[in-house]
Amino acid sequence: MMELLTDPQAWIAFATLTLLELVLGIDNIIFISILVDKLPPEKRVLARRLGLFMAMFMRIGLLLVLSWIIGLVAPLFTVLNQEISGRDLILIAGGLFLIWKSTGEIHQSLEGEEGHSSGAVQATFTAVILQIMVIDLVFSLDSIITAVGMVDELAVMIAAVIASVALMMVFAGAIGRFVSDHPSIKMLALSFLVVVGVVLLAEGFDHHVPKGYVYFAMAFSVGVEMLNIRMRKRSAKPVHLHNEYTREP
């Protein structure tokens, strides 16, 4: 352990992997922010922290079973000359879940009923946590496979995961409030998650899509929308989405 603390290469690997974990965790933060927005205000902070804690422990747990992770890339069966592994199945299922969930959120926000009249769809704390766990598994798997390919030392990987989640917790609240307070940003975030779902599907069928393109497109869209928000504050009426969840007066 002392050798790692005094090894410059280990510190460089730690800083690089921490930054990469933060980048890969952006979609996770957005998804968690949208889900916890369904809960009453007093429960959102707890749900957000639980979601991020689960992401951290899930990634550390996956790191501790690296042999199982490596085994997931072994083909299980073949469909139309396409080999499908355990990792592929998880990515495909996660992609379909993201597309289904994000599309449903977009539809409900734009065309669904509003307020108490649609209280039947009000989310429970347990349901939100379970959904976070499902998508955490997909994002964690992607993140850990990347980490294993970059760093050899398990201690460095675990330290980078803990540091990145700690930094996420610092910014997750502000990101969540910003997404909740700006409906147009929420629509962009949901659209972004649909794209991420499609990318996961493609990855599941061994069609690699460079995520840099996806993140650049989203960053550009957010930049344009930030300019629109500034202009709307001066003149136009704010964007309003249907709120299908029961709110306290």
Side-chain angles (χ1 to χ4, degrees):
M1 181 61 70
M2 290 302 298
E3 293 179 357
L4 286 178
L5 293 176
T6 57
D7 183 3
Q9 294 298 324
W11 283 103
I12 293 173
F14 168 75
T16 303
L17 190 55
T18 300
L19 180 61
L20 183 61
E21 291 285 331
L22 281 172
V23 173
L24 292 175
I26 290 174
D27 38 17
N28 202 0
I29 292 176
I30 292 173
F31 186 77
I32 290 175
S33 298
I34 292 172
L35 281 180
V36 300
D37 196 42
K38 303 173 184 180
L39 298 171
E42 67 274 8
K43 293 184 178 180
R44 292 178 197 168
V45 174
L46 176 60
R48 188 181 296 115
R49 289 177 179 173
L50 274 178
L52 289 171
F53 265 121
M54 283 188 299
M56 180 180 71
F57 287 117
M58 199 169 292
R59 293 180 188 188
I60 293 175
L62 290 175
L63 282 172
L64 296 176
V65 288
L66 290 180
S67 59
W68 179 71
I69 295 294
I70 295 172
L72 282 178
V73 300
L76 296 177
F77 54 87
T78 302
V79 177
L80 299 176
N81 296 322
Q82 176 69 53
E83 293 182 339
I84 303 296
S85 65
R87 171 183 176 272
D88 295 333
L89 287 176
I90 293 175
L91 292 177
I92 291 170
L96 290 173
F97 176 77
L98 263 185
I99 294 171
W100 166 73
K101 189 64 182 176
S102 302
T103 303
E105 289 289 333
I106 292 173
H107 171 77
Q108 184 60 53
S109 295
L110 295 177
E111 300 186 19
E113 297 178 354
E114 184 161 15
H116 292 270
S117 60
S118 60
V121 299
Q122 184 180 4
T124 65
F125 187 86
T126 303
V128 168
I129 296 299
L130 288 176
Q131 290 179 65
I132 290 175
M133 288 180 67
V134 170
I135 210 61
D136 270 349
L137 174 61
V138 180
F139 289 144
S140 297
L141 185 67
D142 186 39
S143 172
I144 292 309
I145 290 174
T146 302
V148 171
M150 287 185 59
V151 182
D152 295 326
E153 293 289 341
L154 180 62
V156 174
M157 289 188 245
I158 293 177
V161 167
I162 294 174
S164 62
V165 171
L167 289 172
M168 286 182 202
M169 287 186 177
V170 173
F171 299 108
I175 293 174
R177 287 189 295 271
F178 183 77
V179 170
S180 179
D181 294 341
H182 296 84
S184 56
I185 294 294
K186 182 178 180 179
M187 286 297 101
L188 276 178
L190 287 169
S191 301
F192 172 60
L193 290 175
V194 172
V195 173
V196 172
V198 173
V199 170
L200 290 175
L201 273 178
E203 293 277 354
F205 288 102
D206 291 333
H207 296 289
H208 179 66
V209 180
K211 288 190 176 180
Y213 294 147
V214 178
Y215 289 133
F216 174 80
M218 187 61 186
F220 179 79
S221 300
V222 170
V224 171
E225 186 54 32
M226 293 298 292
L227 295 175
N228 288 333
I229 289 174
R230 290 191 62 182
M231 296 191 66
R232 281 199 300 267
K233 284 182 178 180
R234 298 177 182 176
S235 57
K237 183 179 178 181
V239 176
H240 174 71
L241 297 179
H242 294 177
N243 184 3
E244 76 276 27
Y245 306 105
T246 305
R247 299 293 192 196
E248 295 184 357

